[in-house]
Amino acid sequence: MGLKKISEKLDSYLGRLEDGKAAKIERSHVEKVIDKLKAKQTLLQEEIRDTEKPSKIERLKSKLSTVGEQIERAEWLLEKIGPEPSN
């Protein structure tokens, strides 16, 4: 899943939270988004290490910054929705 789709999914979850529908957000889904973002973060860091062209490095660093912000948003959301309800 690309960064844009992951961000859209996160925005959707945040929209639900704003609408008072936090109960409809499954914690495991947000955790999957965080895992995907962290994987993307690792790939970008590796690509930055392997790239020599300064302009490409700057673009990658920009993407890396965006991914970091998205991870922070997702972790914030995870805190807001609280723990999984026990059965």
Side-chain angles (χ1 to χ4, degrees):
M1 183 180 295
L3 182 57
K4 186 174 180 177
K5 287 207 181 247
I6 295 170
S7 294
E8 288 171 357
K9 184 170 274 245
L10 182 57
D11 288 341
S12 170
Y13 291 148
L14 290 167
R16 288 187 205 170
L17 181 66
E18 288 176 8
D19 293 341
K21 299 178 183 176
K24 292 186 177 186
I25 303 170
E26 291 193 34
R27 187 173 181 83
S28 62
H29 291 177
V30 178
E31 289 169 344
K32 283 181 187 179
V33 168
I34 291 171
D35 289 343
K36 289 178 183 183
L37 286 166
K38 287 184 177 179
K40 184 69 170 177
Q41 187 178 43
T42 300
L43 288 174
L44 287 168
Q45 289 168 337
E46 290 171 1
E47 197 170 347
I48 288 170
R49 267 194 314 265
D50 296 341
T51 301
E52 294 179 18
K53 191 174 178 184
S55 61
K56 185 172 183 180
I57 290 172
E58 287 306 311
R59 284 194 312 274
L60 292 171
K61 284 182 178 180
S62 177
K63 285 184 181 183
L64 186 60
S65 175
T66 300
V67 169
E69 291 168 8
Q70 295 297 328
I71 290 170
E72 287 177 15
R73 291 175 68 211
E75 289 173 343
W76 177 86
L77 175 62
L78 208 53
E79 287 178 27
K80 290 296 180 187
I81 62 175
E84 285 276 345
S86 54
N87 293 336

